[in-house]
């Protein structure tokens, strides 16, 4: 009997890693020209990043009820911990709450307050804890603590995608486009907000690295810190940021360079780079 761990596709966990760790990944949705595609399951047309109308949608209560029921059966009654994208960024958490109510107290839902590996790292830690024999409450409590400790920063080339998706205020979007600003954003209290304004991409990336290094020093655990560098169609830029972070963070135990998934990519747009800093794993 082992606690089952569920997350959603906004975690950006590579499928091979999720499978190896026994994590079930519930797909979010990308709609291209009105056609629904399940992230991580269906092939998403290349046009989704090439000018065609793209919208996204969270998982539904019905979908998550099925996922949780299967996970609970797999756990043989040990229970399910489900970690999801911030409720401030997606409807998925509310759907998860409704689904958990349908099944009962053996399903516990965690609002990660984040996205990308800000969700992925706590899900991995939960899977490690469960595999080590931790019970339902212990896995849940540790997931809540780790989610609260993670920090997420992002630089986008333009704010248009975030504005269209309703993930950042119109005033901030106008500021970014009208003055040709390169904003540094971060997730605060589960919402994506402006952290700092810069005028060039190089300055924005420098400030991104500064913010991540400061967050790593603040987290500072005996297990060190782990970092993910996400990117949208700019792998070389992400590798440069990764190298800068390795030079700046002395207790860094690992760096993962990962593309944004299709759902997050639809909102941040090409050229975006994000950094997640999280406590390391024992």
């Amino acid at each position: 009997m082992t606690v089952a761990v569920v997350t959603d596709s906004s975690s950006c966990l590579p499928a091979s890693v999720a499978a190896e760790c026994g994590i079930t990944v519930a797909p979010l949705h990308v709609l291209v020209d009105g056609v629904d595609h399940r992230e991580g399951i269906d092939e998403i047309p290349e046009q989704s990043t090439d000018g065609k109308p793209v919208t996204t949608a969270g998982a539904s209560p019905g979908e998550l009820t099925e996922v949780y029921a299967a996970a609970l059966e797999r756990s043989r009654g040990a229970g399910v911990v489900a970690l999801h994208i911030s409720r401030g960024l997606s409807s998925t958490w509310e759907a998860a709450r409704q689904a958990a109510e349908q099944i009962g107290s053996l399903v516990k839902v965690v609002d990660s307050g984040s996205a990308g590996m800000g969700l992925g790292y706590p899900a991995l830690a939960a899977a490690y804890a469960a595999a080590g024999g931790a019970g339902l409450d212990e896995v849940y409590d540790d997931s809540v603590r780790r989610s609260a400790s993670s920090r997420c920063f992002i630089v986008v080339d333009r704010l248009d995608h975030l504005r269209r998706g309703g993930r950042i205020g119109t005033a901030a979007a106008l500021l970014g486009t009208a003055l040709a600003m390169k904003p540094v954003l971060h997730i605060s209290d589960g919402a994506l907000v402006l952290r700092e304004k810069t005028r060039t991409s190089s300055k924005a990336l420098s400030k991104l690295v500064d913010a991540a290094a400061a967050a790593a020093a603040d987290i500072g655990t005996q297990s060190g810190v782990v970092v993910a560098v996400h990117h949208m169609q700019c792998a070389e830029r992400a590798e440069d940021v990764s190298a800068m972070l390795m030079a700046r963070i002395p207790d860094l135990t690992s760096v993962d360079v990962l593309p944004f998934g299709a759902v997050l990519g639809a909102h941040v747009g090409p050229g975006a780079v994000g950094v997640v800093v999280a406590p390391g794993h024992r």
Side-chain angles (χ1 to χ4, degrees):
M1 294 175 60
T2 301
V3 172
V5 176
V6 174
T7 188
D8 61 66
S9 60
S10 74
S11 64
C12 300
L13 280 174
S16 59
V17 173
E20 182 180 351
C21 295
I23 299 171
T24 299
V25 180
L28 304 188
H29 299 264
V30 180
L31 291 86
V32 182
D33 287 345
V35 178
D36 187 358
H37 305 274
R38 297 165 298 172
E39 184 176 36
I41 295 178
D42 301 323
E43 184 176 351
I44 298 175
E46 292 182 3
Q47 291 89 337
S48 63
T49 58
D50 192 26
K52 286 204 172 186
V54 177
T55 56
T56 63
S60 71
E63 289 172 318
L64 292 176
T65 298
E66 291 184 10
V67 169
Y68 296 166
L72 182 59
E73 183 177 357
R74 189 174 68 253
S75 79
R76 298 182 180 179
V80 177
V81 173
L83 302 90
H84 290 291
I85 184 174
S86 170
R87 73 179 80 179
L89 299 175
S90 171
S91 63
T92 299
W93 184 89
E94 177 57 26
R97 184 192 64 77
Q98 294 177 32
E101 283 187 353
Q102 290 293 317
I103 296 177
S105 60
L106 286 179
V107 177
K108 292 183 175 290
V109 178
V110 178
D111 176 4
S112 71
S114 191
M117 288 300 288
L119 166 59
Y121 282 136
L124 285 172
Y128 298 152
L136 180 62
D137 289 340
E138 185 180 353
V139 174
Y140 172 79
D141 290 343
D142 185 61
S143 297
V144 171
R145 285 193 299 269
R146 286 182 177 273
S147 295
S149 298
S150 299
R151 299 289 182 266
C152 182
F153 310 93
I154 185 169
V155 167
V156 296
D157 265 358
R158 295 178 62 88
L159 287 165
D160 304 48
H161 291 76
L162 290 169
R163 179 184 59 77
R164 285 198 298 268
R167 297 309 189 273
I168 195 166
T170 301
L174 289 174
L175 178 65
T177 55
L179 302 181
M181 290 289 182
K182 299 297 182 184
V184 181
L185 309 167
H186 68 135
I187 295 180
S188 177
D189 295 327
L192 190 62
V193 298
L194 182 66
R195 177 184 175 90
E196 193 167 355
K197 296 175 290 185
T198 67
R199 291 190 176 275
T200 66
S201 294
S202 60
K203 187 68 171 178
L205 293 177
S206 177
K207 292 293 184 181
L208 178 70
V209 170
D210 288 345
D218 185 53
I219 290 173
T221 69
Q222 289 184 340
S223 302
V225 295
V226 291
V227 165
V229 181
H230 291 295
H231 68 90
M232 183 61 177
Q233 301 176 359
C234 55
E236 186 174 344
R237 184 181 295 180
E239 291 290 353
D240 289 342
V241 169
S242 173
M244 288 188 279
L245 289 169
M246 285 189 283
R248 290 283 300 276
I249 302 176
D251 55 350
L252 186 59
T253 60
S254 69
V255 180
D256 298 297
V257 178
L258 300 167
F260 282 112
V263 167
L264 296 183
H267 292 288
V268 300
V273 176
V275 176
V276 171
V277 183
H281 311 307
R282 285 191 176 86

